Amino acid sequence: MTRPELELLHGYLNGKLNADDFARLQTLLRTNGEARRMLRTLSTVEAKLEQLAADSPATLPRALAPTHEAAQTTLGMAWSRLRSWRPLAPAAALALVLIGAAWIAWVRGPVNEPLARLVATTNARWSDPNVELALSSGELTPGPLRLESGRAEFLLLDGATVVIKGPASVRFADRKLVSVDEGRVYCQCPTPQSRISVITPQTKVVDLGTEFSVEARADQSTHVAVLSGKVEVQSPNAGVLTAGEAMDVRKNHVVRLKPLSREEMVLLMPSLVSSPSPPADAARNLLVDPGFESPLPSPLWRGSDEFLEHAAGLGRSGHAVRIRAKGHKFWPLVKQTVATGDISGKVVDASVWAMSAVDDPLTDRQYAVLKLAFLNAEGREFASSAQHFLHKGAPAGHYSQSHLAAQAPPGTRAVELQLLLNACGMNYGSVCFDDAMLVIAEQPIAF
Amino acid sequence: MAADPAKPAAQDPNEVFLRLWTHHEPELRAFVRAGVPNAVEVDEVMQETSLVAWRKFSSLSDVSQFPRWACLIARYEILMARRRHARDRLVLDEDILALLADEGAEEMPVRQQQLAALEHCIAKLPRERRELALAAYAPATKMKELAAQLGRTEGSLYQLLARIRQELLMCVERTLAQEAQKS
């Protein structure tokens, strides 16, 4: 083959041919068997590279990694910032350990958007703190994710929501496939584009437009339940399950279960942490100065003072609090603690409005976090729930509301509402928060 | 020693199918890739192919013909995908896709050898090139962003990838020729 002919093939594989060249390519492929053979072989090369790239985390070429000296400077800056960050002084030692992990993750730097993004958690406890740190930073670590307890809600690249309930071991194998070794996942695929499959040691469940729950059980069986729409269970004699149907799949047989009762459906269906909820009654708001009208710092709203601004005119009406990244490596925040007394078992509802600021908008990797921290009688955080929002693509200058609900665990004596910016160590990027709300609700949470 | 997928110990057709599919999926994917220029569409075609093959598996009398048989199903799904995306740019005409598929089905044993050789050829690439290629082919990579991170123009990044592909192709052909000589 001639060089121009080869260039036509590569141009086609790169998706970069103009109309004339594409017409020449079609003529070449129609008349030249060697060109077709070459295209098939080059496509085999592409398929292999795609497979390897999907199986292993992408890494930037080494030439892009920061130098050792630069890394040392970064660590030094992070340490000096920690030393001056008095509100979290007791956590400094732990933070220093975590800096190492975060730095490694930062150096590794994701080239691509992760296959799945953690958008919310409720009392989530991961088997590895580094995994938690990476997930909180918007990264997805390679290999299985082991959630020991609590629940975690992920948004996949194409729009499916996957909620994991611990204990569970789950891996996001590719953008359309979730592998569950153990535990229960709930999947919601709102559009044809977002459809996914869930694979367990016993079977594969292919979504056909639905909400469904899959549980890989310790007794070598898989329980599949369809809440709406239908799925195909790829096992002998299994077939298609429709809304209200459930099935137990074992290695050699399947058992189609009786239709789910309404109570069973409710139990399986999680109230998505990230889903919107009707606005709570402002009169029940436990926060003082929820609209940030008083100057900062204030005895009510505390946090990372040097990163906070009392922003006049940037609120939905009046003031707002603005958190600027200013090179912070982690999560600068503002927070208010509410002494609730013993509210064990009750549902705490929180919401806030937030906006990426027009004059200093969030960058691609930055986002806002709404977090509920549950404090015990000693005032220590022992459980939490969080929602990440204003991700890449959120329009600057436009307020949107984030909502979070979580059940207060036994031992809760106070609740802290925290509003954070995932700053990613960048000098630019800021978020404005306004009209925060914290109420004690009564309705139970399923899943 | 790996079990021969054509001679499964268990007679459960489900297990036989899963074993055959898993064993031949890489070369089937490569087969599909030649007719479908977009990795996401490849996933769609592979999923449809697996579903149809699963449903029709009982009609396959000789499991040694599985790769060829699966190629026939994939060929149909490739043509269906082409119709869905007919208005897109760079969609090959149906007769060309049929030629690519028909000849590709005959090459399935070679495809398997090529994929095995590629393991070694990719491992032998200089580290920076290998990492760049894997970053470029990762599912959600945007070439424009990758080029910016590398301080290159998009065009020069595409040229570099073309060179890497060409190097790998030559390495594969060299490897297979050497193996043919040995045997």
Side-chain angles (χ1 to χ4, degrees):
Chain A
M1 286 191 63
T2 65
R3 189 181 175 83
E5 287 172 342
L6 266 178
E7 282 174 359
L8 279 181
L9 294 181
H10 284 294
Y12 169 68
L13 292 170
N14 287 336
K16 293 288 168 190
L17 286 185
N18 61 35
D20 289 345
D21 284 342
F22 184 60
R24 271 193 286 277
L25 173 80
Q26 296 234 72
T27 304
L28 176 69
L29 290 174
R30 201 169 268 124
T31 56
N32 188 329
E34 177 59 14
R36 292 195 297 273
R37 190 190 71 80
M38 191 66 85
L39 177 59
R40 284 192 297 273
T41 310
L42 285 170
S43 298
T44 304
V45 171
E46 292 227 306
K48 185 70 184 176
L49 286 168
E50 283 164 1
Q51 180 214 324
L52 289 176
D55 288 348
S56 57
T59 53
L60 272 177
R62 295 165 68 77
L64 282 184
T67 62
H68 181 61
E69 291 75 14
Q72 281 188 328
T73 308
T74 308
L75 270 178
M77 286 168 64
W79 174 233
S80 65
R81 198 173 292 124
L82 267 176
R83 278 189 301 184
S84 65
W85 203 20
R86 291 183 184 176
L88 282 188
L94 173 63
L96 189 60
V97 172
L98 294 181
I99 285 172
W103 175 72
I104 290 165
W106 176 67
V107 166
R108 189 159 49 79
V111 173
N112 311 299
E113 256 184 276
L115 295 170
R117 175 185 286 150
L118 181 68
V119 291
T121 57
T122 301
N123 298 336
R125 190 164 60 84
W126 301 91
S127 61
D128 181 345
N130 288 336
V131 167
E132 183 164 5
L133 189 75
L135 289 172
S136 300
S137 299
E139 299 198 15
L140 189 66
T141 53
L145 299 171
R146 171 80 192 164
L147 180 65
E148 299 291 353
S149 59
R151 60 183 226 169
E153 183 178 325
F154 288 84
L155 182 65
L156 274 61
L157 272 180
D158 294 322
T161 294
V162 174
V163 181
I164 306 170
K165 183 171 186 247
S169 266
V170 171
R171 190 166 66 90
F172 293 96
D174 64 39
R175 61 193 297 159
K176 297 285 182 195
L177 182 66
V178 180
S179 169
V180 181
D181 291 333
E182 180 199 347
R184 176 158 21 124
V185 297
Y186 159 86
C187 307
Q188 189 184 55
C189 308
T191 62
Q193 169 77 5
S194 68
R195 289 175 187 171
I196 58 170
S197 299
V198 176
I199 192 163
T200 72
Q202 288 77 40
T203 190
K204 183 176 182 181
V205 180
V206 179
D207 171 56
L208 301 173
T210 190
E211 291 173 78
F212 62 102
S213 152
V214 176
E215 182 175 9
R217 292 173 167 168
D219 65 357
Q220 307 298 308
S221 71
T222 292
H223 181 78
V224 185
V226 179
L227 306 166
S228 69
K230 57 185 178 180
V231 300
E232 179 173 16
V233 181
Q234 293 190 346
S235 289
N237 305 319
V240 171
L241 287 184
T242 57
E245 291 185 320
M247 181 177 276
D248 273 342
V249 183
R250 292 176 189 277
K251 191 176 177 187
N252 296 317
H253 67 283
V254 297
V255 178
R256 196 174 279 263
L257 304 174
K258 64 182 185 328
L260 295 171
S261 68
R262 183 175 168 73
E263 291 70 29
E264 287 168 319
M265 297 267 283
V266 169
L267 270 179
L268 287 169
M269 178 131 31
S271 54
L272 295 186
V273 172
S274 62
S275 64
S277 76
D281 179 4
R284 292 165 56 207
N285 193 355
L286 299 174
L287 297 171
V288 181
D289 188 20
F292 302 98
E293 298 305 328
S294 306
L296 290 168
S298 80
L300 300 167
W301 290 106
R302 298 165 295 117
S304 319
D305 291 345
E306 61 184 295
F307 300 88
L308 303 183
E309 285 176 17
H310 189 227
L314 283 182
R316 295 174 67 225
S317 59
H319 289 78
V321 61
R322 184 206 288 244
I323 306 182
R324 286 191 188 268
K326 290 166 67 174
H328 199 295
K329 204 80 192 77
F330 299 107
W331 302 278
L333 85 168
V334 62
K335 60 184 180 178
Q336 184 173 141
T337 306
V338 175
T340 55
D342 185 359
I343 54 165
S344 308
K346 291 192 174 175
V347 173
V348 180
D349 223 324
S351 65
V352 71
W353 290 83
M355 170 183 82
S356 172
V358 173
D359 59 348
D360 183 19
L362 296 174
T363 59
D364 280 356
R365 291 177 58 193
Q366 294 174 326
Y367 54 82
V369 181
L370 167 64
K371 178 179 169 184
L372 279 173
F374 296 96
L375 313 184
N376 62 16
E378 286 78 47
R380 290 180 56 186
E381 176 181 327
F382 70 105
S384 68
S385 185
Q387 189 189 349
H388 306 178
F389 63 113
L390 291 188
H391 284 285
K392 179 181 177 182
H398 174 77
Y399 266 101
S400 57
Q401 191 181 30
S402 173
H403 168 258
L404 179 62
Q407 201 161 21
T412 300
R413 292 293 181 276
V415 177
E416 198 165 77
L417 181 96
Q418 300 181 359
L419 307 171
L420 307 94
L421 164 64
N422 182 44
C424 294
M426 296 178 187
N427 290 320
Y428 302 103
S430 68
V431 59
C432 296
F433 290 104
D434 199 6
D435 294 335
M437 187 169 285
L438 182 74
V439 300
I440 310 293
E442 297 300 331
Q443 76 272 22
I445 287 186
F447 199 73
Chain B
M1 195 173 73
D4 181 352
K7 294 180 180 174
Q11 292 306 306
D12 178 349
N14 179 34
E15 283 190 24
V16 176
F17 176 82
L18 284 177
R19 193 171 298 160
L20 286 164
W21 181 263
T22 308
H23 185 77
H24 293 290
E25 190 184 10
E27 64 253 36
L28 271 171
R29 179 172 286 274
F31 169 85
V32 170
R33 191 70 178 81
V36 181
N38 176 309
V40 176
E41 287 168 35
V42 171
D43 286 341
E44 287 173 13
V45 169
M46 286 296 286
Q47 181 158 334
E48 290 304 317
T49 303
S50 70
L51 285 174
V52 175
W54 165 261
R55 288 194 197 106
K56 296 188 172 180
F57 186 56
S58 60
S59 68
L60 177 67
S61 53
D62 179 1
V63 291
S64 69
Q65 293 300 308
F66 181 84
R68 230 183 122 79
W69 176 78
C71 280
L72 275 178
I73 296 171
R75 178 189 191 275
Y76 176 80
E77 295 300 335
I78 290 169
L79 292 175
M80 287 297 102
R82 188 208 168 272
R83 287 176 194 172
R84 286 197 297 274
H85 299 283
R87 291 188 176 182
D88 293 359
R89 283 178 68 243
L90 308 187
V91 175
L92 293 172
D93 288 346
E94 206 161 312
D95 62 312
I96 298 173
L97 287 178
L99 272 174
L100 284 167
D102 293 343
E103 293 167 352
E106 300 294 329
E107 290 172 352
M108 289 303 270
V110 180
R111 196 74 63 237
Q112 205 167 30
Q113 293 170 0
Q114 287 176 336
L115 286 166
L118 270 168
E119 289 275 350
H120 301 291
C121 292
I122 292 171
K124 280 196 297 192
L125 278 176
R127 184 169 179 167
E128 282 184 18
R129 287 197 156 205
R130 187 172 67 245
E131 289 180 351
L132 183 140
L134 293 180
Y137 280 96
T141 291
K142 292 185 174 58
M143 296 298 276
K144 199 171 180 178
E145 290 173 9
L146 180 61
Q149 289 181 63
L150 293 165
R152 283 176 168 270
T153 64
E154 206 178 341
S156 77
L157 180 57
Y158 276 121
Q159 281 177 3
L160 181 55
L161 286 174
R163 279 202 293 276
I164 293 173
R165 276 198 302 261
Q166 194 64 28
E167 275 176 35
L168 289 171
L169 180 140
M170 289 165 67
C171 171
V172 166
E173 298 205 326
R174 211 166 40 238
T175 307
L176 295 189
Q178 286 166 355
E179 284 176 4
Q181 274 184 345
K182 281 182 203 165
S183 61

Short mmCIF file of all heavy atoms in Angstrom, two decimals, chain B residues 59-103:
data_model
loop_
_atom_site.label_atom_id
_atom_site.label_comp_id
_atom_site.label_asym_id
_atom_site.label_seq_id
_atom_site.Cartn_x
_atom_site.Cartn_y
_atom_site.Cartn_z
N SER B 59 -29.56 -23.18 18.30
CA SER B 59 -29.59 -23.56 16.89
C SER B 59 -28.18 -23.88 16.35
O SER B 59 -28.04 -24.34 15.22
CB SER B 59 -30.20 -22.43 16.05
OG SER B 59 -29.33 -21.31 16.05
N LEU B 60 -27.16 -23.62 17.14
CA LEU B 60 -25.79 -23.91 16.69
C LEU B 60 -25.45 -25.36 17.02
O LEU B 60 -25.34 -25.74 18.19
CB LEU B 60 -24.80 -22.96 17.39
CG LEU B 60 -23.32 -23.17 17.06
CD1 LEU B 60 -23.03 -22.83 15.60
CD2 LEU B 60 -22.43 -22.32 17.97
N SER B 61 -25.28 -26.16 15.98
CA SER B 61 -25.07 -27.60 16.22
C SER B 61 -23.60 -27.93 16.51
O SER B 61 -23.31 -28.84 17.28
CB SER B 61 -25.56 -28.41 15.03
OG SER B 61 -24.98 -27.91 13.84
N ASP B 62 -22.68 -27.18 15.92
CA ASP B 62 -21.26 -27.48 16.08
C ASP B 62 -20.58 -26.29 16.75
O ASP B 62 -20.36 -25.24 16.11
CB ASP B 62 -20.64 -27.75 14.70
CG ASP B 62 -19.15 -28.05 14.79
OD1 ASP B 62 -18.62 -28.07 15.92
OD2 ASP B 62 -18.53 -28.25 13.73
N VAL B 63 -20.24 -26.45 18.04
CA VAL B 63 -19.70 -25.29 18.77
C VAL B 63 -18.33 -24.85 18.26
O VAL B 63 -17.89 -23.74 18.52
CB VAL B 63 -19.61 -25.56 20.29
CG1 VAL B 63 -20.99 -25.65 20.90
CG2 VAL B 63 -18.79 -26.77 20.60
N SER B 64 -17.65 -25.73 17.49
CA SER B 64 -16.36 -25.31 16.93
C SER B 64 -16.56 -24.19 15.90
O SER B 64 -15.62 -23.48 15.54
CB SER B 64 -15.62 -26.49 16.31
OG SER B 64 -16.30 -26.90 15.13
N GLN B 65 -17.79 -24.05 15.43
CA GLN B 65 -18.09 -22.99 14.44
C GLN B 65 -18.57 -21.70 15.11
O GLN B 65 -19.04 -20.78 14.44
CB GLN B 65 -19.19 -23.49 13.48
CG GLN B 65 -18.75 -24.62 12.57
CD GLN B 65 -17.58 -24.21 11.69
OE1 GLN B 65 -17.63 -23.19 11.01
NE2 GLN B 65 -16.51 -24.98 11.74
N PHE B 66 -18.45 -21.65 16.45
CA PHE B 66 -18.98 -20.50 17.18
C PHE B 66 -18.45 -19.15 16.67
O PHE B 66 -19.23 -18.22 16.44
CB PHE B 66 -18.69 -20.65 18.68
CG PHE B 66 -19.24 -19.52 19.51
CD1 PHE B 66 -20.56 -19.52 19.94
CD2 PHE B 66 -18.45 -18.44 19.86
CE1 PHE B 66 -21.08 -18.48 20.70
CE2 PHE B 66 -18.94 -17.39 20.61
CZ PHE B 66 -20.27 -17.41 21.03
N PRO B 67 -17.12 -18.99 16.48
CA PRO B 67 -16.63 -17.67 16.06
C PRO B 67 -17.26 -17.23 14.73
O PRO B 67 -17.70 -16.09 14.59
CB PRO B 67 -15.12 -17.86 15.92
CG PRO B 67 -14.80 -19.07 16.72
CD PRO B 67 -16.01 -19.94 16.66
N ARG B 68 -17.29 -18.11 13.77
CA ARG B 68 -17.85 -17.79 12.46
C ARG B 68 -19.35 -17.48 12.57
O ARG B 68 -19.85 -16.52 11.97
CB ARG B 68 -17.66 -19.00 11.55
CG ARG B 68 -17.05 -18.70 10.23
CD ARG B 68 -17.00 -19.99 9.42
NE ARG B 68 -17.72 -19.82 8.17
CZ ARG B 68 -17.22 -19.20 7.13
NH1 ARG B 68 -16.00 -18.71 7.18
NH2 ARG B 68 -17.91 -19.05 6.02
N TRP B 69 -20.01 -18.29 13.36
CA TRP B 69 -21.45 -18.11 13.58
C TRP B 69 -21.73 -16.76 14.25
O TRP B 69 -22.62 -16.02 13.86
CB TRP B 69 -21.94 -19.29 14.43
CG TRP B 69 -23.37 -19.25 14.85
CD1 TRP B 69 -24.46 -19.55 14.09
CD2 TRP B 69 -23.87 -18.91 16.15
NE1 TRP B 69 -25.60 -19.42 14.83
CE2 TRP B 69 -25.27 -19.04 16.10
CE3 TRP B 69 -23.27 -18.53 17.34
CZ2 TRP B 69 -26.08 -18.79 17.20
CZ3 TRP B 69 -24.08 -18.27 18.44
CH2 TRP B 69 -25.46 -18.40 18.37
N ALA B 70 -20.92 -16.45 15.27
CA ALA B 70 -21.11 -15.18 15.98
C ALA B 70 -20.81 -14.00 15.06
O ALA B 70 -21.44 -12.94 15.16
CB ALA B 70 -20.23 -15.13 17.23
N CYS B 71 -19.84 -14.20 14.15
CA CYS B 71 -19.53 -13.13 13.19
C CYS B 71 -20.73 -12.84 12.29
O CYS B 71 -20.98 -11.68 11.93
CB CYS B 71 -18.35 -13.54 12.30
SG CYS B 71 -16.77 -13.32 13.12
N LEU B 72 -21.46 -13.87 11.93
CA LEU B 72 -22.65 -13.67 11.09
C LEU B 72 -23.67 -12.80 11.81
O LEU B 72 -24.27 -11.89 11.23
CB LEU B 72 -23.29 -15.03 10.76
CG LEU B 72 -22.73 -15.78 9.57
CD1 LEU B 72 -23.45 -17.12 9.41
CD2 LEU B 72 -22.91 -14.95 8.29
N ILE B 73 -23.85 -13.10 13.09
CA ILE B 73 -24.79 -12.29 13.88
C ILE B 73 -24.27 -10.86 14.01
O ILE B 73 -25.01 -9.89 13.82
CB ILE B 73 -24.99 -12.93 15.28
CG1 ILE B 73 -25.63 -14.30 15.12
CG2 ILE B 73 -25.83 -12.03 16.18
CD1 ILE B 73 -25.68 -15.12 16.39
N ALA B 74 -22.97 -10.74 14.30
CA ALA B 74 -22.38 -9.41 14.47
C ALA B 74 -22.46 -8.63 13.15
O ALA B 74 -22.69 -7.41 13.16
CB ALA B 74 -20.93 -9.53 14.92
N ARG B 75 -22.29 -9.31 12.02
CA ARG B 75 -22.36 -8.65 10.72
C ARG B 75 -23.72 -7.98 10.56
O ARG B 75 -23.82 -6.83 10.12
CB ARG B 75 -22.15 -9.70 9.62
CG ARG B 75 -22.26 -9.20 8.19
CD ARG B 75 -22.24 -10.41 7.26
NE ARG B 75 -22.09 -10.05 5.86
CZ ARG B 75 -23.09 -9.71 5.06
NH1 ARG B 75 -24.33 -9.63 5.54
NH2 ARG B 75 -22.86 -9.44 3.78
N TYR B 76 -24.78 -8.71 10.92
CA TYR B 76 -26.13 -8.16 10.83
C TYR B 76 -26.26 -6.95 11.76
O TYR B 76 -26.80 -5.91 11.37
CB TYR B 76 -27.15 -9.24 11.21
CG TYR B 76 -28.57 -8.75 11.24
CD1 TYR B 76 -29.29 -8.61 10.06
CD2 TYR B 76 -29.18 -8.41 12.44
CE1 TYR B 76 -30.60 -8.14 10.08
CE2 TYR B 76 -30.48 -7.94 12.48
CZ TYR B 76 -31.19 -7.81 11.29
OH TYR B 76 -32.47 -7.34 11.33
N GLU B 77 -25.74 -7.08 12.97
CA GLU B 77 -25.86 -5.97 13.94
C GLU B 77 -25.04 -4.76 13.49
O GLU B 77 -25.42 -3.62 13.75
CB GLU B 77 -25.41 -6.43 15.33
CG GLU B 77 -26.30 -7.51 15.94
CD GLU B 77 -27.75 -7.07 16.12
OE1 GLU B 77 -28.00 -5.86 16.22
OE2 GLU B 77 -28.62 -7.96 16.11
N ILE B 78 -23.90 -5.01 12.83
CA ILE B 78 -23.10 -3.89 12.31
C ILE B 78 -23.92 -3.13 11.25
O ILE B 78 -23.96 -1.90 11.23
CB ILE B 78 -21.78 -4.41 11.68
CG1 ILE B 78 -20.85 -4.92 12.78
CG2 ILE B 78 -21.09 -3.31 10.88
CD1 ILE B 78 -19.65 -5.70 12.24
N LEU B 79 -24.58 -3.88 10.39
CA LEU B 79 -25.36 -3.23 9.33
C LEU B 79 -26.56 -2.48 9.94
O LEU B 79 -26.93 -1.41 9.47
CB LEU B 79 -25.83 -4.27 8.31
CG LEU B 79 -24.69 -4.88 7.48
CD1 LEU B 79 -25.19 -5.99 6.58
CD2 LEU B 79 -23.99 -3.81 6.64
N MET B 80 -27.14 -3.06 11.00
CA MET B 80 -28.23 -2.35 11.68
C MET B 80 -27.72 -1.05 12.30
O MET B 80 -28.37 0.00 12.21
CB MET B 80 -28.81 -3.24 12.80
CG MET B 80 -29.65 -4.41 12.34
SD MET B 80 -31.14 -3.88 11.45
CE MET B 80 -30.63 -4.19 9.76
N ALA B 81 -26.55 -1.13 12.91
CA ALA B 81 -25.96 0.07 13.53
C ALA B 81 -25.68 1.12 12.45
O ALA B 81 -25.89 2.31 12.66
CB ALA B 81 -24.68 -0.29 14.26
N ARG B 82 -25.22 0.64 11.29
CA ARG B 82 -24.95 1.57 10.20
C ARG B 82 -26.22 2.32 9.81
O ARG B 82 -26.19 3.52 9.53
CB ARG B 82 -24.41 0.81 8.99
CG ARG B 82 -23.93 1.72 7.91
CD ARG B 82 -24.02 1.13 6.53
NE ARG B 82 -23.80 2.19 5.57
CZ ARG B 82 -24.77 2.96 5.10
NH1 ARG B 82 -26.02 2.78 5.47
NH2 ARG B 82 -24.49 3.93 4.25
N ARG B 83 -27.33 1.61 9.79
CA ARG B 83 -28.59 2.27 9.41
C ARG B 83 -28.99 3.31 10.46
O ARG B 83 -29.51 4.37 10.12
CB ARG B 83 -29.69 1.23 9.22
CG ARG B 83 -29.48 0.46 7.94
CD ARG B 83 -30.47 -0.64 7.71
NE ARG B 83 -29.97 -1.51 6.65
CZ ARG B 83 -30.51 -2.66 6.30
NH1 ARG B 83 -31.58 -3.09 6.93
NH2 ARG B 83 -30.00 -3.38 5.32
N ARG B 84 -28.72 2.99 11.72
CA ARG B 84 -29.06 3.96 12.78
C ARG B 84 -28.23 5.22 12.65
O ARG B 84 -28.66 6.31 12.98
CB ARG B 84 -28.81 3.35 14.17
CG ARG B 84 -29.84 2.32 14.60
CD ARG B 84 -29.77 2.08 16.11
NE ARG B 84 -28.49 1.52 16.53
CZ ARG B 84 -28.22 0.21 16.54
NH1 ARG B 84 -29.12 -0.66 16.15
NH2 ARG B 84 -27.04 -0.23 16.95
N HIS B 85 -26.98 5.04 12.19
CA HIS B 85 -26.06 6.19 12.16
C HIS B 85 -25.77 6.63 10.73
O HIS B 85 -24.74 7.26 10.48
CB HIS B 85 -24.76 5.82 12.86
CG HIS B 85 -24.95 5.45 14.31
ND1 HIS B 85 -25.15 6.37 15.29
CD2 HIS B 85 -25.02 4.25 14.92
CE1 HIS B 85 -25.32 5.76 16.45
NE2 HIS B 85 -25.25 4.47 16.25
N ALA B 86 -26.66 6.30 9.80
CA ALA B 86 -26.38 6.52 8.38
C ALA B 86 -26.11 7.98 8.07
O ALA B 86 -25.38 8.29 7.12
CB ALA B 86 -27.54 6.01 7.54
N ARG B 87 -26.68 8.88 8.87
CA ARG B 87 -26.50 10.30 8.55
C ARG B 87 -25.23 10.87 9.16
O ARG B 87 -24.91 12.04 8.95
CB ARG B 87 -27.71 11.08 9.05
CG ARG B 87 -28.95 10.76 8.27
CD ARG B 87 -30.08 11.67 8.65
NE ARG B 87 -31.24 11.41 7.82
CZ ARG B 87 -32.37 12.08 7.90
NH1 ARG B 87 -32.49 13.05 8.76
NH2 ARG B 87 -33.38 11.78 7.12
N ASP B 88 -24.54 10.09 9.96
CA ASP B 88 -23.29 10.59 10.55
C ASP B 88 -22.22 10.69 9.48
O ASP B 88 -22.32 10.11 8.40
CB ASP B 88 -22.81 9.64 11.66
CG ASP B 88 -23.75 9.64 12.84
OD1 ASP B 88 -24.73 10.40 12.80
OD2 ASP B 88 -23.49 8.89 13.80
N ARG B 89 -21.19 11.44 9.82
CA ARG B 89 -20.03 11.51 8.91
C ARG B 89 -19.29 10.18 8.96
O ARG B 89 -19.36 9.43 9.92
CB ARG B 89 -19.07 12.60 9.39
CG ARG B 89 -19.50 14.02 9.08
CD ARG B 89 -18.48 14.99 9.64
NE ARG B 89 -17.20 14.89 8.94
CZ ARG B 89 -16.06 14.51 9.52
NH1 ARG B 89 -16.06 14.15 10.79
NH2 ARG B 89 -14.94 14.46 8.83
N LEU B 90 -18.54 9.90 7.95
CA LEU B 90 -17.61 8.77 7.92
C LEU B 90 -18.28 7.42 8.22
O LEU B 90 -17.73 6.59 8.94
CB LEU B 90 -16.46 9.00 8.91
CG LEU B 90 -15.70 10.33 8.80
CD1 LEU B 90 -14.49 10.32 9.71
CD2 LEU B 90 -15.29 10.62 7.37
N VAL B 91 -19.48 7.24 7.70
CA VAL B 91 -20.12 5.93 7.80
C VAL B 91 -19.93 5.23 6.46
O VAL B 91 -20.36 5.71 5.41
CB VAL B 91 -21.62 6.08 8.12
CG1 VAL B 91 -22.30 4.72 8.09
CG2 VAL B 91 -21.79 6.71 9.49
N LEU B 92 -19.25 4.09 6.50
CA LEU B 92 -18.94 3.39 5.25
C LEU B 92 -20.21 2.84 4.61
O LEU B 92 -21.17 2.49 5.31
CB LEU B 92 -17.98 2.23 5.55
CG LEU B 92 -16.58 2.64 6.02
CD1 LEU B 92 -15.80 1.41 6.48
CD2 LEU B 92 -15.81 3.38 4.94
N ASP B 93 -20.18 2.75 3.28
CA ASP B 93 -21.34 2.21 2.56
C ASP B 93 -21.55 0.75 2.95
O ASP B 93 -20.62 0.03 3.33
CB ASP B 93 -21.13 2.33 1.05
CG ASP B 93 -21.25 3.78 0.59
OD1 ASP B 93 -21.74 4.61 1.38
OD2 ASP B 93 -20.82 4.08 -0.54
N GLU B 94 -22.80 0.32 2.76
CA GLU B 94 -23.19 -1.01 3.22
C GLU B 94 -22.41 -2.12 2.51
O GLU B 94 -22.03 -3.12 3.14
CB GLU B 94 -24.70 -1.18 2.99
CG GLU B 94 -25.33 -2.17 3.91
CD GLU B 94 -26.84 -1.99 3.99
OE1 GLU B 94 -27.31 -0.86 4.18
OE2 GLU B 94 -27.54 -3.02 3.87
N ASP B 95 -22.15 -1.95 1.22
CA ASP B 95 -21.44 -3.00 0.49
C ASP B 95 -20.00 -3.15 1.00
O ASP B 95 -19.45 -4.26 1.05
CB ASP B 95 -21.45 -2.72 -1.02
CG ASP B 95 -20.75 -1.41 -1.36
OD1 ASP B 95 -21.02 -0.39 -0.70
OD2 ASP B 95 -19.89 -1.42 -2.27
N ILE B 96 -19.40 -2.03 1.41
CA ILE B 96 -18.02 -2.11 1.95
C ILE B 96 -18.03 -2.80 3.31
O ILE B 96 -17.18 -3.66 3.60
CB ILE B 96 -17.41 -0.69 2.07
CG1 ILE B 96 -17.31 -0.06 0.69
CG2 ILE B 96 -16.04 -0.75 2.73
CD1 ILE B 96 -16.88 1.39 0.71
N LEU B 97 -19.00 -2.44 4.13
CA LEU B 97 -19.10 -3.10 5.44
C LEU B 97 -19.32 -4.60 5.27
O LEU B 97 -18.74 -5.41 6.00
CB LEU B 97 -20.26 -2.50 6.25
CG LEU B 97 -20.02 -1.11 6.82
CD1 LEU B 97 -21.27 -0.62 7.56
CD2 LEU B 97 -18.83 -1.11 7.77
N ALA B 98 -20.13 -4.97 4.28
CA ALA B 98 -20.38 -6.40 4.05
C ALA B 98 -19.09 -7.10 3.63
O ALA B 98 -18.78 -8.21 4.10
CB ALA B 98 -21.46 -6.56 2.99
N LEU B 99 -18.31 -6.43 2.77
CA LEU B 99 -17.02 -7.02 2.34
C LEU B 99 -16.08 -7.19 3.54
O LEU B 99 -15.47 -8.25 3.74
CB LEU B 99 -16.33 -6.10 1.32
CG LEU B 99 -16.66 -6.28 -0.16
CD1 LEU B 99 -16.00 -5.18 -0.96
CD2 LEU B 99 -16.18 -7.65 -0.64
N LEU B 100 -15.99 -6.10 4.34
CA LEU B 100 -15.10 -6.15 5.52
C LEU B 100 -15.52 -7.28 6.45
O LEU B 100 -14.68 -8.02 7.00
CB LEU B 100 -15.16 -4.83 6.28
CG LEU B 100 -14.40 -3.65 5.68
CD1 LEU B 100 -14.81 -2.35 6.37
CD2 LEU B 100 -12.89 -3.87 5.82
N ALA B 101 -16.84 -7.44 6.62
CA ALA B 101 -17.33 -8.46 7.56
C ALA B 101 -17.12 -9.87 7.00
O ALA B 101 -16.68 -10.77 7.73
CB ALA B 101 -18.81 -8.21 7.85
N ASP B 102 -17.43 -10.05 5.74
CA ASP B 102 -17.32 -11.40 5.16
C ASP B 102 -15.86 -11.87 5.18
O ASP B 102 -15.56 -13.01 5.55
CB ASP B 102 -17.86 -11.41 3.73
CG ASP B 102 -19.36 -11.18 3.72
OD1 ASP B 102 -19.98 -11.35 4.79
OD2 ASP B 102 -19.91 -10.83 2.66
N GLU B 103 -14.95 -10.98 4.80
CA GLU B 103 -13.53 -11.36 4.83
C GLU B 103 -13.03 -11.49 6.27
O GLU B 103 -12.22 -12.37 6.57
CB GLU B 103 -12.70 -10.32 4.07
CG GLU B 103 -13.00 -10.29 2.57
CD GLU B 103 -12.41 -9.07 1.87
OE1 GLU B 103 -11.91 -8.16 2.56
OE2 GLU B 103 -12.50 -9.00 0.64
#
